[in-house]
Amino acid sequence: MVKKIFKVVGRVFAYIFTLVAVLVLTVYLLLVMLCKGDAPATTRTFVPTMLETGALKFVVNLVLTEEEILAYTTSEGSAEVAEDVDTSMIQIGSAVETDDDKTTEEVSLLDALEDPDGDGIIYVPISGHTFGAALLVVRDPSKVSIASIYPFSSAEKDKYGITIEQFVNNTGSIAGINAGEFVVDGTNWGGRPLGVVVSHGEIQFNAPGYGDVMIGFNEDNVLVIKELTGMGADAFAAYVAENHIRDAVTFKDVSDGNNNHFTKLIINGEAVDLGGKGVGANPRTAIGQCADGTVLLLVTDGRGSAGHLGATAQDLIGVMQTYGAVNAANLDGGGSSSLYFDGEYKICTTFLPSAGNSKYLPTAFVVEP
């Protein structure tokens, strides 16, 4: 009797082992096909898409060497380093000048938007080829600022961030989007930022690192996009003081064998040449500013949400240009991408750990009513 039981158990384990082995082999072969197959367009999208994720970067490293990965992420040429933002190009509250090189639709689209509530905050749903998006137009840039869970702590009890909805409710705001980069631990605890955090003129976190680009506003309510590579904490503190930065966070702009992140989208009216960065399709979050100071907060879906793959960097640039952005930057995206407005999530791309809510985050751009 005992021998029969062991025999049955052995067969069950053998079946399970065989099934698992077949599944692993199938997945591996699928990865090989996606990364090295005969469909160049597929591989050029798949590889950068994986490298732009927070948790799945390792996938392509299973079948590709670092040299092969770099061939994909730099396949369209080297990205050009854009100049610093010319703050004089933003005239808060002024009329946008007509550009002869633009179509009438491009020039007038922003001004043609209806504002039924008369509060200068307009929600615009957008439908792209591979993504759905939500655009929030904020006429008064002084209403946009950084909210955070400061003081930050590495203590176990303080490891969790909060959702975008909580940021909005805690600050009495009407809207919010995810903002800067943060430490990813386990299932996205979101309690510790990376780079820098400035909120209402106070430096709350000061650890700029390689590839960091600051995105924020100065005291004149002009969007500033500044590369911080090579800048230490003391230099950053001096920069904040000298340039009167009131609110800011950072995101990475780096492409290597493990990452394919980008930040600058449009600088001084010119789209940035991103090379091989941002060619993958993912949920995205971006912020821009028009010549009259109007702020554009853009969030796209993706990764299967509503059947959409997601947006590329060029998709973000296209939307921002259509609505007249003079300067624009990409923020942390992927599962973090969320826009909460008027009491509900217009777009929320996370699945865990808080179904129906955004990821837990340390910072958010919020909009005062």
Side-chain angles (χ1 to χ4, degrees):
M1 182 66 178
V2 174
K3 289 184 177 180
K4 288 184 178 181
I5 292 175
F6 276 108
K7 189 175 182 179
V8 171
V9 172
R11 287 178 177 176
V12 170
F13 275 106
Y15 173 79
I16 293 174
F17 176 80
T18 302
L19 179 62
V20 170
V22 170
L23 288 175
V24 170
L25 180 61
T26 301
V27 171
Y28 181 77
L29 292 175
L30 178 61
L31 284 176
V32 172
M33 182 181 70
L34 290 171
C35 295
K36 294 186 174 184
D38 296 327
T42 299
T43 58
R44 281 197 300 269
T45 299
F46 180 77
V47 174
T49 295
M50 291 297 101
L51 291 173
E52 292 163 8
T53 67
L56 297 176
K57 300 178 188 295
F58 72 93
V59 169
V60 294
N61 286 282
L62 295 175
V63 296
L64 295 176
T65 66
E66 182 171 350
E67 290 73 20
E68 288 174 324
I69 291 172
L70 289 173
Y72 285 112
T73 59
T74 61
S75 60
E76 296 181 14
S78 300
E80 296 180 1
V81 178
E83 58 189 291
D84 287 340
V85 168
D86 179 0
T87 57
S88 68
M89 294 182 67
I90 309 300
Q91 302 295 320
I92 307 296
S94 66
V96 178
E97 295 182 3
T98 300
D99 187 333
D100 293 336
D101 294 331
K102 294 182 178 180
T103 66
T104 302
E105 180 183 9
E106 288 175 324
V107 171
S108 62
L109 184 57
L110 188 67
D111 291 330
L113 291 175
E114 295 183 2
D115 184 5
D117 297 328
D119 59 359
I121 302 173
I122 307 167
Y123 171 70
V124 184
I126 294 174
S127 179
H129 181 63
T130 60
F131 65 93
L135 175 68
L136 200 64
V137 177
V138 184
R139 298 291 189 181
D140 182 355
S142 69
K143 291 185 174 184
V144 182
S145 62
I146 286 292
S148 77
I149 59 169
Y150 181 79
F152 308 108
S153 171
S154 59
E156 180 73 10
K157 66 181 179 65
D158 298 320
K159 68 182 182 181
Y160 289 101
I162 60 177
T163 66
I164 299 298
E165 179 181 4
Q166 289 174 311
F167 275 118
V168 170
N169 292 335
N170 290 351
T171 57
S173 301
I174 191 173
I177 63 170
N178 57 294
E181 56 190 331
F182 57 93
V183 176
V184 177
D185 289 319
T187 315
N188 193 90
W189 296 330
R192 290 181 291 161
L194 290 170
V196 305
V197 177
V198 182
S199 181
H200 301 283
E202 177 185 8
I203 299 177
Q204 298 180 339
F205 192 79
N206 189 355
Y210 174 73
D212 278 341
V213 177
M214 185 199 78
I215 310 104
F217 292 90
N218 63 20
E219 292 178 359
D220 293 327
N221 304 314
V222 175
L223 181 66
V224 179
I225 304 167
K226 174 69 175 178
E227 293 183 10
L228 301 184
T229 294
M231 187 180 291
D234 291 342
F236 178 71
Y239 175 81
V240 169
E242 293 169 5
N243 294 274
H244 308 287
I245 303 300
R246 66 164 172 85
D247 289 276
V249 292
T250 50
F251 191 57
K252 295 289 186 188
D253 198 322
V254 59
S255 182
D256 54 31
N258 297 305
N259 302 280
N260 193 39
H261 298 310
F262 60 98
T263 304
K264 294 183 177 182
L265 296 172
I266 302 172
I267 302 295
N268 302 329
E270 298 293 330
V272 175
D273 177 6
L274 292 169
K277 297 179 184 178
V279 297
N282 272 300
R284 310 283 191 186
T285 302
I287 184 170
Q289 188 171 44
C290 304
D292 65 351
T294 297
V295 176
L296 306 176
L297 303 176
L298 176 66
V299 177
T300 78
D301 63 9
R303 296 183 183 172
S305 177
H308 295 144
L309 291 174
T312 67
Q314 291 303 318
D315 290 327
L316 298 183
I317 290 172
V319 173
M320 287 293 180
Q321 287 180 324
T322 295
Y323 285 87
V326 173
N327 297 296
N330 181 52
L331 296 167
D332 183 35
S336 300
S337 290
S338 300
L339 169 62
Y340 187 85
F341 172 61
D342 203 19
E344 65 177 347
Y345 282 100
K346 299 298 185 181
I347 288 196
C348 185
T349 59
T350 191
F351 296 103
L352 293 174
S354 50
N357 289 301
S358 75
K359 277 187 174 181
Y360 301 139
L361 304 168
T363 60
F365 276 107
V366 294
V367 182
E368 297 177 6

